[in-house]
Amino acid sequence: MPRKIIIDTDPGQDDAVAILLALASPEVEVLGVVAVAGNVPLDLTTKNARIVCELAGRPDIKVFAGCDRPLRHELVTAEHVHGKTGLDGPVMPDPSMPVEHQHGVDFIIETLRSEPPGSVTLCPLGPLTNIATAFEKAPDVVARVQEIVLMGGAYFQVGNITPAAEFNIYVDPEAAEIVFKSGRPITVMPLDVTHKALTTAPRVEAFRALGTEPGRMVAEWTDFFERFDKEKYGSAGAPLHDPCVIAYLIRPELFSGRHVNVEIETQSELTRGMTVADWWHVTDRAPNAMFMGDVDAEGFFDLLTERIGRL
Ligand code: RIB
Ligand code: CA
């Protein structure tokens, strides 16, 4: 029985790889893809989500536009990482599949109300604006969420957009606070784990060697995407953040972490968006998130390459 998921995303090259992985994997059933403003503005993340679904040969997937800005703050984007289009690297054709008319937040609410309770997993890959807005607009749906598996936050790896905060949480810290206080099971893929999933040259070549259009696209996206991180971290490749969320749904044993308390800084300008993880259990705050810290990187890339090869 495939696991029903909603992908909430701000494509972004790594989001794109995550969407391809989900669409190539029979273990998950993508009920819909909801775009959010993040890496680039909403009109581009909505366009990019459709480009990726068509690349996967899935123009039937329902793609929705969600919120175009965070709950409280001005939108902060990341063109410096993802390029002007958000999918820089290869030249991509404009999508021909439509955007659904329904607002993405209403799709999330309606789907949670119509699917059996506890049968839908939310997979946010960008700022948490859509998820938080759905929870605020329809509090009855919160209890119906099976699990929230998200990419965001950092503890030992500290920040990538400020010294204290990871981008997805930094863009909309109030939304993150709502999600982390929702009481639902949360599994977090922070920079602590995604920085161990690096697109080294052999791994990028393995995508190219698939000899397929999706394989070539993934290789060219990672070639583009990694220049920022290699320069910044001097690492042997870019961290492939968002596909960790989908890989966890397929092979959870690839990941390990700790169930800890995580709270979000929303008051301080200096540390806005910091995920304050009580990793050493120095407080009596109740654990509310499975905070991942390690990944079998070889196993992750073997899974990713094999699945992308199916498209
Ligand atoms: O900080 C990494 C996260 O920010 C990833 O989800 C990337 O796509 C960007 O949204
Ligand atoms: Ca993302």
Side-chain angles (χ1 to χ4, degrees):
M1 181 75 165
R3 187 158 176 180
K4 293 177 181 173
I5 69 171
I6 294 174
I7 297 177
D8 193 88
T9 178
D10 63 336
Q13 290 87 348
D14 60 318
D15 301 69
V17 180
I19 294 167
L20 291 180
L21 175 58
L23 295 179
S25 300
E27 297 87 345
V28 297
E29 177 188 352
V30 179
L31 299 180
V33 174
V34 181
V36 67
N39 286 319
V40 287
L42 180 67
D43 60 322
L44 285 175
T45 57
T46 307
K47 174 180 174 186
N48 293 342
R50 289 178 289 147
I51 287 174
V52 178
C53 287
E54 289 187 340
L55 174 65
R58 295 297 306 278
D60 59 298
I61 292 289
K62 291 196 277 186
V63 173
F64 301 82
C67 297
D68 64 359
R69 55 159 297 163
L71 297 183
R72 300 272 184 285
H73 295 280
E74 287 304 311
L75 177 62
V76 171
T77 53
E79 283 90 350
H80 59 292
V81 178
H82 299 274
K84 196 92 187 75
T85 71
L87 276 186
D88 283 26
V91 176
M92 309 283 298
D94 282 353
S96 50
M97 65 185 280
V99 186
E100 300 296 317
H101 295 303
Q102 186 179 31
H103 190 287
V105 169
D106 294 328
F107 167 73
I108 292 170
I109 292 168
E110 188 179 275
T111 303
L112 288 169
R113 284 181 173 155
S114 57
E115 295 290 340
S119 68
V120 176
T121 294
L122 303 180
C123 298
L125 310 178
L128 291 162
T129 315
N130 291 337
I131 311 300
T133 304
F135 285 4
E136 294 287 283
K137 186 174 180 184
D140 61 290
V141 305
V142 178
R144 300 176 74 89
V145 174
Q146 177 180 22
E147 183 179 8
I148 301 166
V149 186
L150 68 90
M151 190 278 142
Y155 187 60
F156 294 100
Q157 285 293 309
V158 289
N160 63 359
I161 187 76
T162 72
E166 177 278 327
F167 178 79
N168 288 340
I169 309 299
Y170 176 77
V171 170
D172 199 340
E174 287 74 18
E177 183 175 48
I178 289 167
V179 171
F180 276 80
K181 289 192 169 162
S182 69
R184 300 312 298 144
I186 297 179
T187 298
V188 183
M189 294 291 164
L191 297 181
D192 302 49
V193 73
T194 67
H195 281 187
K196 296 175 181 174
L198 297 178
T199 58
T200 59
R203 290 166 177 165
V204 176
E205 280 326 302
F207 290 126
R208 209 183 306 276
L210 289 170
T212 62
E213 185 69 352
R216 184 171 72 80
M217 288 293 124
V218 170
E220 292 191 24
W221 282 332
T222 43
D223 278 344
F224 179 87
F225 175 69
E226 71 180 9
R227 87 212 178 290
F228 171 81
D229 286 286
K230 277 168 92 168
E231 203 174 300
K232 177 174 180 160
Y233 298 106
S235 52
L240 208 45
H241 308 287
D242 294 338
C244 290
V245 167
I246 307 301
Y248 169 78
L249 299 176
I250 302 165
R251 290 194 55 198
E253 73 279 4
L254 290 173
F255 299 90
S256 61
R258 276 187 196 175
H259 193 232
V260 295
N261 176 269
V262 178
E263 301 210 359
I264 310 296
E265 173 59 62
T266 59
Q267 304 308 310
S268 150
E269 253 320 293
L270 178 65
T271 55
R272 160 190 160 184
M274 182 174 184
T275 46
V276 183
D278 187 3
W279 186 262
W280 304 113
H281 200 205
V282 295
T283 77
D284 57 1
R285 295 183 203 137
N288 60 333
M290 185 62 191
F291 203 79
M292 293 300 184
D294 214 347
V295 59
D296 165 2
E298 279 308 303
F300 170 69
F301 278 96
D302 287 349
L303 171 71
L304 195 47
T305 307
E306 188 274 324
R307 292 299 165 92
I308 301 291
R310 295 188 185 189
L311 295 173

PDB file of all heavy atoms in Angstrom, residues 10 15 39 125-126 242, ligand 2:
ATOM      1  N   ASP A  10       9.548  24.500  -2.889  1.00  0.00           N
ATOM      2  CA  ASP A  10       9.967  25.767  -3.510  1.00  0.00           C
ATOM      3  C   ASP A  10      11.084  25.496  -4.524  1.00  0.00           C
ATOM      4  O   ASP A  10      12.214  25.982  -4.387  1.00  0.00           O
ATOM      5  CB  ASP A  10      10.431  26.779  -2.445  1.00  0.00           C
ATOM      6  CG  ASP A  10      11.669  26.301  -1.663  1.00  0.00           C
ATOM      7  OD1 ASP A  10      11.896  25.075  -1.600  1.00  0.00           O
ATOM      8  OD2 ASP A  10      12.413  27.159  -1.162  1.00  0.00           O
ATOM      9  N   ASP A  15      14.853  20.481  -4.576  1.00  0.00           N
ATOM     10  CA  ASP A  15      13.423  20.126  -4.530  1.00  0.00           C
ATOM     11  C   ASP A  15      13.056  19.293  -5.753  1.00  0.00           C
ATOM     12  O   ASP A  15      12.327  18.304  -5.667  1.00  0.00           O
ATOM     13  CB  ASP A  15      12.556  21.374  -4.567  1.00  0.00           C
ATOM     14  CG  ASP A  15      12.797  22.346  -3.438  1.00  0.00           C
ATOM     15  OD1 ASP A  15      13.872  22.964  -3.403  1.00  0.00           O
ATOM     16  OD2 ASP A  15      11.922  22.482  -2.581  1.00  0.00           O
ATOM     17  N   ASN A  39      12.856  29.666  -2.401  1.00  0.00           N
ATOM     18  CA  ASN A  39      14.097  29.872  -3.172  1.00  0.00           C
ATOM     19  C   ASN A  39      13.935  31.001  -4.189  1.00  0.00           C
ATOM     20  O   ASN A  39      14.841  31.797  -4.406  1.00  0.00           O
ATOM     21  CB  ASN A  39      14.476  28.583  -3.917  1.00  0.00           C
ATOM     22  CG  ASN A  39      15.032  27.527  -2.985  1.00  0.00           C
ATOM     23  OD1 ASN A  39      15.813  27.849  -2.087  1.00  0.00           O
ATOM     24  ND2 ASN A  39      14.635  26.281  -3.175  1.00  0.00           N
ATOM     25  N   LEU A 125       9.323  20.905   1.763  1.00  0.00           N
ATOM     26  CA  LEU A 125      10.723  21.002   1.318  1.00  0.00           C
ATOM     27  C   LEU A 125      11.188  22.456   1.257  1.00  0.00           C
ATOM     28  O   LEU A 125      12.290  22.727   0.765  1.00  0.00           O
ATOM     29  CB  LEU A 125      10.879  20.356  -0.066  1.00  0.00           C
ATOM     30  CG  LEU A 125      10.314  18.950  -0.249  1.00  0.00           C
ATOM     31  CD1 LEU A 125      10.511  18.480  -1.684  1.00  0.00           C
ATOM     32  CD2 LEU A 125      10.944  17.972   0.740  1.00  0.00           C
ATOM     33  N   GLY A 126      10.371  23.372   1.687  1.00  0.00           N
ATOM     34  CA  GLY A 126      10.681  24.810   1.649  1.00  0.00           C
ATOM     35  C   GLY A 126      10.165  25.464   2.924  1.00  0.00           C
ATOM     36  O   GLY A 126       9.878  24.782   3.921  1.00  0.00           O
ATOM     37  N   ASP A 242      16.795  18.273  -0.101  1.00  0.00           N
ATOM     38  CA  ASP A 242      15.383  17.871  -0.074  1.00  0.00           C
ATOM     39  C   ASP A 242      15.107  16.395  -0.389  1.00  0.00           C
ATOM     40  O   ASP A 242      14.180  15.814   0.194  1.00  0.00           O
ATOM     41  CB  ASP A 242      14.567  18.771  -1.023  1.00  0.00           C
ATOM     42  CG  ASP A 242      14.545  20.214  -0.527  1.00  0.00           C
ATOM     43  OD1 ASP A 242      14.764  20.436   0.694  1.00  0.00           O
ATOM     44  OD2 ASP A 242      14.328  21.121  -1.338  1.00  0.00           O
TER      45      ASP A 242
HETATM   46 CA    CA B   2      13.561  23.506  -0.956  1.00  0.00          CA
END
